[in-house]
């Protein structure tokens, strides 16, 4: 029973390039969350998606960041024109549908982005 | 929105001692409180959770207590071992609907052999 799968695990980008981070939720899960973790800081919510819908993107920076969760395939967090301040660990989490599930979210192992 | 405060930020104990991490939350409507353990270079792993209809939950050496009146909850680890060394995060959320968990800033627990 595979958990939340994220790739790449490590990504190095030069300033101005684009970074694409992918997340496949646990089997049977239809809700995906993206969090960012800066060094020595906690987990900051970025965006919450269901299939083909962005439910809440209140934590997403207004520019350069976007997320999608298509009908088929993984969820993708896209960062355009990366800057050094984007260097962080990006975690994806998923949860099953329905309120009965208790809303427990399960994290992947993260994608570490380094901007040089 | 919800705000979760977590203390201490760093906790150093000797092997065999107990460790206690405390969190407070602001939204009285929150009713689900999970705890996660994050080891270096890995993702957070759920270790225990508690819902608002209970005051305490225990699983072997770890336990969580909840005081809804005071809006605080705590993680207790007894008989600590070196492998308990990690960063621990508390979170609070509202079960149901488009809930989004809000996390504390984390506690770095160091258990000295």
């Amino acid at each position: 029973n595979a958990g939340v799968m994220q790739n790449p695990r490590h990504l190095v980008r030069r300033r101005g390039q684009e970074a694409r981070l992918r997340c496949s939720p646990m089997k049977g899960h239809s809700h995906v969350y993206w969090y960012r973790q800066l060094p020595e800081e906690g987990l900051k919510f970025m965006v919450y998606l269901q299939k083909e819908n962005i439910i809440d993107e209140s934590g997403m920076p207004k520019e350069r960041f976007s997320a999608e969760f298509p009908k088929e395939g993984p969820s993708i967090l896209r960062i355009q024109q990366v800057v050094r301040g984007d260097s962080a660990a990006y975690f994806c989490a998923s949860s099953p549908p329905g309120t009965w599930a208790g809303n427990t979210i399960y994290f992947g192992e993260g994608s570490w982005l380094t901007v040089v | 929105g919800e705000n979760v405060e977590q203390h201490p930020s760093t906790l150093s104990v000797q092997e065999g001692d107990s460790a206690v991490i405390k969190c407070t939350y602001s939204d009285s409507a929150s009713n689900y409180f999970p705890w996660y353990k994050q080891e270096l270079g890995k993702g957070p792993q759920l270790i225990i959770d508690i819902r608002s209809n209970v005051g305490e939950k225990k699983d072997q050496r770890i336990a969580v207590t909840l005081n809804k009146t005071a809006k605080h909850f705590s993680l207790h680890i007894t008989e600590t071992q070196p492998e308990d060394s990690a960063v621990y995060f508390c979170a609070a959320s509202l079960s149901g609907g488009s809930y989004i968990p809000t996390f504390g800033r984390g506690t770095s627990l160091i258990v000295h052999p």
Side-chain angles (χ1 to χ4, degrees):
Chain A
N1 183 21
V4 178
M5 303 301 292
Q6 289 189 248
N7 70 84
R9 291 295 315 279
H10 299 275
L11 182 63
V12 179
R13 284 288 178 266
R14 295 188 185 279
R15 281 177 294 170
Q17 291 185 319
E18 178 180 288
R20 284 194 180 215
L21 311 177
R22 289 176 290 277
C23 169
S24 295
M26 287 178 70
K27 187 176 181 181
H29 286 193
S30 58
H31 299 196
V32 166
Y33 311 76
W34 285 94
Y35 284 80
R36 178 164 62 175
Q37 185 175 39
L38 293 166
E40 306 301 322
E41 291 194 16
L43 296 155
K44 298 295 185 185
F45 166 74
M46 299 181 75
V47 60
Y48 164 47
L49 311 101
Q50 295 178 20
K51 285 281 187 181
E52 298 184 283
N53 279 305
I54 296 174
I55 306 301
D56 187 321
E57 56 181 348
S58 58
M60 288 279 270
K62 294 291 186 286
E63 298 176 345
R64 303 189 296 107
F65 285 72
S66 62
E68 63 176 6
F69 190 15
K71 187 176 180 181
E72 301 291 337
S75 174
I76 295 174
L77 179 67
R78 182 183 178 202
I79 311 172
Q80 294 177 290
Q81 299 171 13
V82 297
V83 301
R84 288 223 170 102
D86 297 333
S87 295
Y90 292 83
F91 289 97
C92 172
S94 71
S95 66
T99 60
W100 60 268
N103 300 108
T104 299
I105 69 171
Y106 300 89
F107 284 90
E109 294 289 75
S111 290
W112 267 258
L113 172 65
T114 302
V115 180
V116 297
Chain B
E2 177 65 275
N3 183 48
V4 177
E5 299 285 338
Q6 183 172 347
H7 300 280
S9 57
T10 305
L11 180 58
S12 183
V13 300
Q14 288 297 128
E15 182 177 1
D17 287 350
S18 293
V20 180
I21 302 170
K22 299 182 179 182
C23 290
T24 60
Y25 60 99
S26 60
D27 190 343
S28 57
S30 290
N31 61 2
Y32 176 62
F33 308 92
W35 285 87
Y36 290 81
K37 175 184 180 183
Q38 185 181 25
E39 297 177 339
L40 193 63
K42 296 191 175 182
Q45 297 291 309
L46 180 73
I47 55 171
I48 195 167
D49 56 14
I50 191 167
R51 301 180 192 281
S52 60
N53 57 343
V54 296
E56 183 173 359
K57 184 177 178 181
K58 193 172 182 180
D59 183 4
Q60 299 183 344
R61 295 186 298 107
I62 60 173
V64 57
T65 58
L66 171 65
N67 183 328
K68 277 196 67 78
T69 302
K71 290 190 285 187
H72 68 70
F73 56 113
S74 301
L75 178 71
H76 305 252
I77 306 174
T78 59
E79 300 173 24
T80 54
Q81 301 167 4
E83 51 264 40
D84 294 330
S85 296
V87 178
Y88 291 81
F89 292 97
C90 63
S93 66
L94 181 61
S95 182
S98 59
Y99 114 126
I100 298 163
T102 299
F103 286 82
R105 290 178 63 90
T107 296
S108 178
L109 174 64
I110 304 166
V111 180
H112 298 281

